[in-house]
Amino acid sequence: MQRKITIQTIALLLLLTSFTSYAKDDAPKGDKKSEIKEYIQHHLKDSYDFSLFSYTNDAGEHKYVGAPLPVILWDNGLKVFSSSKFHHGETVAEVDGNHYKLYHNKIYKTDAEGTINYNEEQHPTNVKPLDFSITKGVVMILITGLLMFFLFKSLAKSYAANGSIAKGAGRFFEPIVLYIRDDIAIPNIGEKKYMKYMPFLLTVFFFIWFLNIFGLTPLGVNVTGNIAVTTALALLTFLITNFTGTKDYWKHIFDPLGDSMPWYGKVPLYIILIPIEILGIFIKPFSLLIRLYANMQAGHIVLMSLIGLMFIFKSWIGSPLSFGLAFAISLIEVLVALLQAYIFTMLSALYFGFAAEEHDHHEEAHAH
């Protein structure tokens, strides 16, 4: 427990260092509240490089501590170059005679001076090339995928080599795998069909959990706070639910009353019920993506806002109090990271259970 608290304290101090350096060097000139708001927005966005913090040397030059990432564009051909050419958005990148500018975290085609044109709504009108860049969010997704692959590959090998007994790190993850099987999959889907959904349930649980934990590190990786990522995860649940749906699942949607009353009595009700059932098909995955996105996004905003209060108070009472609250919230976020992975997995299993449900019509007929 002491080690966990120490690691969390170090992470919070590194995050505070990043906040301090940004407030001094990178934030736009203005009042302190605007600088803090700008930093929070900067922290929540994806970026084309890993930037831990920055500082100004004696010569007045900005120095960034981090690592660039590859920029991959399709603009009348493939353009691949390092994000260091943008110098964190301060310079124009020249590639094969074309010029590109990083503006509001998007890449636009421009001229050598980096001119950005606007329409009447003040939206950029410059051409945006197709962007397949490896951003820090993509890097963390790849790292998480590889981590899960090697972790569970070693767990499977330990099962085979030790008579179905987990060894090493597998001893920690085995109870979680069994919990997902025995307390999430089987109760919601049933013993007959739960196995075909288990690969997805295990993958999505550990994928969300690991990414949530990475989001609490000083790397500033807010992958599950990106609505595009949560939408993709919810879309997978949506597709699996509807493509594996049984006849009874679809009959319940388009004939929710069944044989409980004659058809002429059902028609007026179906005018209301069927659209509601169809709408429910889309509301369920939408609730999944919004819940995960909003909770993780809100956690980062609250944590960064509490750290920002230290720079507003600048007092021996307010600053320690803000740091203490930020530390407490960061510990709660560790629990929230696990809880959100559990909720997404539980609701996905529940929807799969609805899709896999079957009624024994032969037994019902004999009973009548």
Side-chain angles (χ1 to χ4, degrees), residues 285-356:
F286 180 76
S287 67
L288 279 180
L289 75 92
I290 288 297
R291 181 183 291 105
L292 179 58
Y293 163 75
N295 277 279
M296 302 316 299
Q297 189 85 328
H300 284 270
I301 292 173
V302 170
L303 182 58
M304 301 307 298
S305 298
L306 288 172
I307 294 176
L309 288 176
M310 297 173 62
F311 298 91
I312 295 177
F313 289 138
K314 290 184 178 179
S315 67
W316 64 275
I317 295 178
S319 294
L321 180 61
S322 297
F323 182 84
L325 288 173
F327 179 74
I329 291 296
S330 66
L331 291 178
I332 294 174
E333 281 296 297
V334 174
L335 176 61
V336 172
L338 178 61
L339 184 62
Q340 289 304 315
Y342 167 78
I343 291 173
F344 194 100
T345 308
M346 171 65 80
L347 291 177
S348 295
L350 189 64
Y351 301 155
F352 296 158
F354 293 150

Side-chain angles (χ1 to χ4, degrees), residues 31 73 92 107 118 122 130 138 142-143 198 203 210 238 243 268 313 320 351 360:
D31 63 286
L73 304 176
V92 176
I107 297 176
Y118 302 90
Q122 294 302 306
L130 289 175
V138 175
L142 293 174
I143 290 174
M198 275 297 290
T203 302
F210 288 172
F238 169 79
F243 278 106
F313 289 138
Y351 301 155
D360 196 336

Side-chain angles (χ1 to χ4, degrees), residues 135-206:
T135 62
K136 68 178 182 180
V138 175
V139 170
M140 294 313 302
I141 289 174
L142 293 174
I143 290 174
T144 301
L146 290 173
L147 176 63
M148 291 171 59
F149 175 78
F150 288 112
L151 180 67
F152 292 104
K153 184 180 179 182
S154 63
L155 177 58
K157 283 185 176 180
S158 70
Y159 270 130
N162 301 292
S164 299
I165 299 175
K167 291 255 179 119
R171 290 184 176 179
F172 173 77
F173 290 102
E174 183 188 35
I176 301 175
V177 172
L178 294 177
Y179 178 83
I180 294 173
R181 184 193 69 182
D182 298 337
D183 292 88
I184 295 180
I186 293 177
N188 289 291
I189 303 173
E191 292 190 5
K192 292 183 178 180
K193 295 189 175 182
Y194 81 92
M195 277 300 297
K196 70 177 181 180
Y197 297 102
M198 275 297 290
F200 176 78
L201 294 176
L202 287 173
T203 302
V204 78
F205 175 85
F206 286 102

Side-chain angles (χ1 to χ4, degrees), residues 28-292:
K29 301 302 180 183
D31 63 286
K32 189 61 66 178
K33 290 182 180 179
S34 298
E35 293 178 4
I36 292 171
K37 181 179 179 181
E38 182 70 19
Y39 175 76
I40 293 174
Q41 292 175 349
H42 171 79
H43 173 79
L44 295 176
K45 292 178 181 177
D46 199 0
S47 68
Y48 291 87
D49 54 50
F50 273 103
S51 182
L52 297 178
F53 62 90
S54 64
Y55 64 92
T56 304
N57 60 17
D58 295 335
E61 297 175 337
H62 290 302
K63 297 293 183 181
Y64 295 88
V65 177
L69 295 171
V71 177
I72 305 171
L73 304 176
W74 182 266
D75 182 25
N76 295 322
L78 192 64
K79 313 292 182 185
V80 181
F81 57 96
S82 172
S83 63
S84 60
K85 281 180 174 279
F86 290 124
H87 197 64
H88 303 273
E90 296 175 2
T91 59
V92 176
E94 192 275 327
V95 182
D96 298 335
N98 296 316
H99 297 84
Y100 304 99
K101 181 177 178 62
L102 186 60
Y103 182 72
H104 287 181
N105 215 42
K106 295 180 181 178
I107 297 176
Y108 294 91
K109 195 171 183 179
T110 182
D111 52 26
E113 288 73 30
T115 305
I116 298 293
N117 301 311
Y118 302 90
N119 58 17
E120 294 178 355
E121 287 81 25
Q122 294 302 306
H123 295 151
T125 57
N126 294 52
V127 174
K128 283 196 300 182
L130 289 175
D131 193 351
F132 302 98
S133 302
I134 308 297
T135 62
K136 68 178 182 180
V138 175
V139 170
M140 294 313 302
I141 289 174
L142 293 174
I143 290 174
T144 301
L146 290 173
L147 176 63
M148 291 171 59
F149 175 78
F150 288 112
L151 180 67
F152 292 104
K153 184 180 179 182
S154 63
L155 177 58
K157 283 185 176 180
S158 70
Y159 270 130
N162 301 292
S164 299
I165 299 175
K167 291 255 179 119
R171 290 184 176 179
F172 173 77
F173 290 102
E174 183 188 35
I176 301 175
V177 172
L178 294 177
Y179 178 83
I180 294 173
R181 184 193 69 182
D182 298 337
D183 292 88
I184 295 180
I186 293 177
N188 289 291
I189 303 173
E191 292 190 5
K192 292 183 178 180
K193 295 189 175 182
Y194 81 92
M195 277 300 297
K196 70 177 181 180
Y197 297 102
M198 275 297 290
F200 176 78
L201 294 176
L202 287 173
T203 302
V204 78
F205 175 85
F206 286 102
F207 182 75
I208 293 173
W209 184 26
F210 288 172
L211 283 178
N212 288 349
I213 293 297
F214 278 130
L216 299 176
T217 64
L219 295 174
V221 183
N222 185 33
V223 178
T224 46
N226 186 329
I227 197 166
V229 174
T230 60
T231 299
L233 293 173
L235 183 61
L236 289 174
T237 297
F238 169 79
L239 293 175
I240 293 172
T241 300
N242 291 287
F243 278 106
T244 62
T246 62
K247 291 181 180 179
D248 290 308
Y249 169 73
W250 291 107
K251 183 179 179 182
H252 176 76
I253 292 173
F254 293 101
D255 187 17
L257 296 178
D259 299 326
S260 59
M261 61 174 64
W263 67 267
Y264 52 82
K266 296 188 291 185
V267 171
L269 295 175
Y270 278 2
I271 296 175
I272 300 174
L273 290 178
I274 292 179
I276 291 175
E277 291 289 343
I278 294 174
L279 191 61
I281 295 175
F282 301 96
I283 290 176
K284 290 172 183 176
F286 180 76
S287 67
L288 279 180
L289 75 92
I290 288 297
R291 181 183 291 105
L292 179 58

